[in-house]
Amino acid sequence: MTTTPATRVRTGVMLPRDLPLADVLPFARRADELGFDELWVVEDLGFRGGVAQAATVLAGTSRIAVGIGIMPAAARHPAFAAMEIATLGQLFPGRVIAGIGHGQASWMRTLGVWPSSPLTLLEETTTAVRSVLRGRPVAPGRYVTLEHTEFTELPETIPPVLLGVRGPRSLALSGRVADGTLLAEPSPPSYVRAAARHIAATGPHELITYDVAAVDDDAERALEAVRPGLMWIGEPDWAPHLVGLPFADELVALRAASAGPEEFAAALPLEWIDELSLAGTPAQVRSKMAARHEAGATCVVLTPVGEGRLEQLESLARVV
């Protein structure tokens, strides 16, 4: 068996979680045709399943790699997660990237599956999934006990398993046990560098970044287009993304003074939006992407925002 290797720096695009159903396959096929290296699907509670989306768009495209970002460890037993990943890896060799994470804590709590030690569960799940994919035994743990001598359907090319995490301890865990790390938006270079320091991987390690994006010959119009996509970055969970930014304290103060996320987003200065997004003219966005690659990102993923995302895809492709 071989593991899909980390290669050159790449450009990806997000398949929006709320894209109209009739647009899902056209969006994926057009992303493939336009030359994007990767297409990332989302698994958020109440929207669409990540594995089902990945299988559908893989079958409907011919070249593009497809990432699942992310499958919550608390919601899937690693045996079944490994089976899903292995099946996709067999059917579409070299085109599958599996993302696993804690999952949104509030969502997992509403489902009654949030563990007392999320870090332990994530480590045991990741280790078990990667071991099953390689036909290796799984040591019993606190949460995961898995005998897998019955697993015979394994891929020749093993899909990489990435962790979608943001806290320092979780990033360090990813550096120890995963093939790569997925960073949610916003991912300015300062955050990419800080995350890489926590990851501290000693071998090849993918580092995928998400950012809201818009490409337009009018830079200010592009910045305004992504404003709604930044409404949540003032919430406490996003604090790690602000590390090293000169306006971090001001941003926190703005959120505290705002009645809600929408008011906060409406008040964001364009200078901050510029720093926290992949929005601008084609030349400006290429420069921002290069800065993220230089900071350590192996793939920069552009996330369209708002209406008309099939049309936006054409604009985003100007930087591919």
Side-chain angles (χ1 to χ4, degrees):
M1 294 183 182
T2 60
T3 302
T4 303
T7 54
R8 61 182 176 84
V9 293
R10 305 180 307 281
T11 302
V13 66
M14 173 74 72
L15 180 74
R17 68 181 187 178
D18 58 347
L19 191 69
L21 188 61
D23 290 343
V24 168
L25 275 175
F27 187 100
R29 289 171 178 147
R30 190 61 182 143
D32 196 18
E33 294 165 354
L34 289 169
F36 286 95
D37 298 297
E38 296 177 6
L39 176 70
W40 282 81
V41 301
V42 181
E43 181 165 271
D44 283 349
L45 186 63
F47 289 86
R48 297 174 183 135
V51 175
Q53 289 182 90
T56 300
V57 298
L58 281 163
T61 55
S62 61
R63 174 199 56 83
I64 198 167
V66 177
I68 305 171
I70 59 171
M71 296 180 283
R76 272 196 180 85
H77 192 284
F80 289 92
M83 287 167 59
E84 300 279 21
I85 296 165
T87 301
L88 292 177
Q90 283 185 308
L91 292 169
F92 309 100
R95 296 180 58 204
V96 179
I97 308 167
I100 299 174
H102 296 298
Q104 189 75 18
S106 59
W107 295 343
M108 297 302 106
R109 288 191 176 100
T110 65
L111 300 176
V113 297
W114 188 248
S116 57
S117 178
L119 204 64
T120 301
L121 173 62
L122 185 58
E123 178 170 7
E124 292 182 3
T125 297
T126 307
T127 301
V129 169
R130 294 182 74 248
S131 295
V132 168
L133 292 174
R134 289 160 175 78
R136 298 173 183 168
V138 178
R142 175 177 174 183
Y143 293 102
V144 176
T145 300
L146 177 57
E147 299 289 341
H148 68 94
T149 54
E150 68 274 22
F151 285 82
T152 57
E153 296 293 322
L154 300 179
E156 287 297 321
T157 301
I158 303 170
V161 176
L162 279 59
L163 294 190
V165 291
R166 57 163 58 100
R169 293 173 62 203
S170 297
L171 289 168
L173 172 66
S174 184
R176 293 196 306 272
V177 305
D179 300 306
T181 304
L182 177 63
L183 301 180
E185 68 285 346
S187 291
S190 55
Y191 175 50
V192 178
R193 287 190 290 268
R197 287 193 294 270
H198 289 300
I199 292 166
T202 57
H205 192 88
E206 291 280 1
L207 189 55
I208 315 294
T209 62
Y210 288 172
D211 273 295
V212 292
V215 177
D216 196 303
D217 291 326
D218 183 325
E220 184 170 335
R221 187 163 57 202
L223 294 171
E224 288 293 349
V226 300
R227 183 185 291 277
L230 295 172
M231 70 169 61
W232 298 107
I233 66 169
E235 306 307 304
D237 283 349
W238 274 260
H241 299 252
L242 309 180
V243 172
L245 292 175
F247 53 84
D249 292 341
E250 293 174 84
L251 188 149
V252 172
L254 176 63
R255 176 62 187 92
S258 301
E262 293 85 358
E263 182 178 308
F264 164 76
L268 286 171
L270 287 180
E271 294 80 5
W272 299 2
I273 296 175
D274 188 34
E275 184 73 22
L276 295 167
S277 70
L278 291 173
T281 66
Q284 290 170 335
V285 174
R286 288 191 198 99
S287 178
K288 292 181 182 184
M289 293 169 63
R292 284 157 173 75
H293 286 309
E294 289 167 7
T298 54
C299 182
V300 173
V301 178
L302 296 83
T303 303
V305 179
E307 302 298 324
R309 282 164 291 190
L310 274 172
E311 292 77 14
Q312 290 179 48
L313 187 60
E314 303 290 330
S315 296
L316 296 180
R318 297 172 68 185
V319 302
V320 176

